Amino acid sequence: MSRATASPDISPAFSVTSQDAFGIRAFEGPLGAEINGLDLNLPVSDTRIAEIRAALVKHGVVVFRDQRITPEQHVAFSRRFGPLQVHVLNRFHLQNHPEILIVSNVLENGKPIGLVDAGADWHSDLSYMPTPSLGSLLHSQELPAEQGDTLYANMFNAYESLPADVKKTLEGRRAVHSYVYRYKRLQKLSPWRVDLTQQQIDEVPEVEHPVIRTHPESGRKALFVSEGFTSHIIGLPRDESDALLKFLHEHSIRPENVYTHKWRAHDIVFWDNRSTIHYAAITPLHLRRTLYRTTVEGDVPF
């Protein structure tokens, strides 16, 4: 899959500020944009936050380059978009910052310092929660010279390009999202996933969400299923559910629907979990990769 590239046009809706020439450059392709002229070491106005949020809704993924900020600043900026959700795997919380999940393949004393396989299949973060995520903000800390890309798929496009008969079949359907379902499957791929405690299992019971959700800010319809967390579609025989989910997954991640992010030092990538899914292959241990992730709480899908 090829990487979408930035277009030279800056949206006229975003004006120049004292922080430099603030603007949005949309990427060529199905989603994504780069936000320029914003230094997160400096105060960000409510107006700018509103403009960033609008860009997120419009483009699905927004990229901030060269943001040399502290974990405290990362958390504070993320909170401007809503309350933050704390990941159930507390062993990978950043020390003194439970809002930050460490995503890393680095080993210390033979043990991973972060979640090695966080992106090992396509998913929308925290879709297994009763109130799933609005979006996630991932800040690069240490990057390998090769590999380590993150891929994003546009679920608005995925829904809109479905055959009419499939749309009709999905109308009004609900599906089960399960953290334990995904966790047990990934245990087969990764030796670093120890068994969940009963307390952790109790924190993430299965939930039901609509297969097609309406975005609360844009009003557009998006597919809201993934190979990661969606175990089955309610009301269908299991074999039919499995076949339909397989079709929807393959349909969603067609190359023309995907943006591949090539990480640069100190990038922050902010994506909309209500309208995208993402994937990052497990990076080999000799290619050190560490990122910090916050997750903003969203709303109950409808």
Side-chain angles (χ1 to χ4, degrees), residues 80-155:
R80 300 290 297 278
F81 300 94
L84 301 187
Q85 294 172 296
V86 175
H87 199 279
V88 66
L89 290 184
N90 50 18
R91 64 189 286 237
F92 296 134
H93 293 170
L94 184 65
Q95 187 174 8
N96 299 322
H97 297 287
E99 306 91 345
I100 292 179
L101 175 71
I102 304 172
V103 176
S104 180
N105 67 347
V106 175
L107 303 183
E108 291 183 356
N109 301 317
K111 297 181 179 180
I113 66 169
L115 194 52
V116 175
D117 56 358
D121 54 16
W122 287 90
H123 64 283
S124 170
D125 288 333
L126 276 63
S127 73
Y128 55 84
M129 297 293 286
T131 305
S133 164
L134 177 155
S136 301
L137 295 93
L138 193 60
H139 187 204
S140 62
Q141 304 295 312
E142 182 178 15
L143 298 173
E146 58 181 309
Q147 301 188 46
D149 299 347
T150 304
L151 284 66
Y152 299 89
N154 186 325
M155 299 302 272

Side-chain angles (χ1 to χ4, degrees), residues 30-94:
L31 73 168
E34 183 174 298
I35 294 184
N36 298 307
L38 190 70
D39 183 351
L40 297 183
N41 286 286
L42 301 175
V44 182
S45 69
D46 290 344
T47 298
R48 284 285 174 255
I49 293 296
E51 291 171 334
I52 293 166
R53 188 173 182 127
L56 177 73
V57 172
K58 179 179 179 180
H59 299 288
V61 176
V62 293
V63 179
F64 307 85
R65 300 291 189 187
D66 196 27
Q67 298 295 329
R68 299 169 186 265
I69 60 173
T70 65
E72 291 83 1
Q73 290 171 311
H74 182 178
V75 169
F77 178 65
S78 302
R79 280 200 176 120
R80 300 290 297 278
F81 300 94
L84 301 187
Q85 294 172 296
V86 175
H87 199 279
V88 66
L89 290 184
N90 50 18
R91 64 189 286 237
F92 296 134
H93 293 170
L94 184 65

Side-chain angles (χ1 to χ4, degrees), residues 143-189:
L143 298 173
E146 58 181 309
Q147 301 188 46
D149 299 347
T150 304
L151 284 66
Y152 299 89
N154 186 325
M155 299 302 272
F156 289 143
N157 288 1
Y159 169 72
E160 291 166 1
S161 60
L162 282 173
D165 61 328
V166 177
K167 286 183 180 179
K168 186 175 181 179
T169 297
L170 297 178
E171 188 173 347
R173 295 280 184 187
R174 297 176 66 83
V176 170
H177 294 240
S178 169
Y179 181 77
V180 175
Y181 165 77
R182 181 179 191 244
Y183 194 94
K184 288 182 177 179
R185 287 188 302 107
L186 291 186
Q187 275 188 307
K188 300 174 183 178
L189 299 176

Side-chain angles (χ1 to χ4, degrees), residues 171-216:
E171 188 173 347
R173 295 280 184 187
R174 297 176 66 83
V176 170
H177 294 240
S178 169
Y179 181 77
V180 175
Y181 165 77
R182 181 179 191 244
Y183 194 94
K184 288 182 177 179
R185 287 188 302 107
L186 291 186
Q187 275 188 307
K188 300 174 183 178
L189 299 176
S190 172
W192 312 112
R193 284 191 178 250
V194 299
D195 288 343
L196 294 169
T197 66
Q198 188 59 50
Q199 179 179 349
Q200 288 173 317
I201 293 172
D202 292 343
E203 289 178 17
V204 286
E206 293 182 347
V207 297
E208 297 178 11
H209 293 309
V211 173
I212 303 166
R213 72 175 296 180
T214 301
H215 196 286

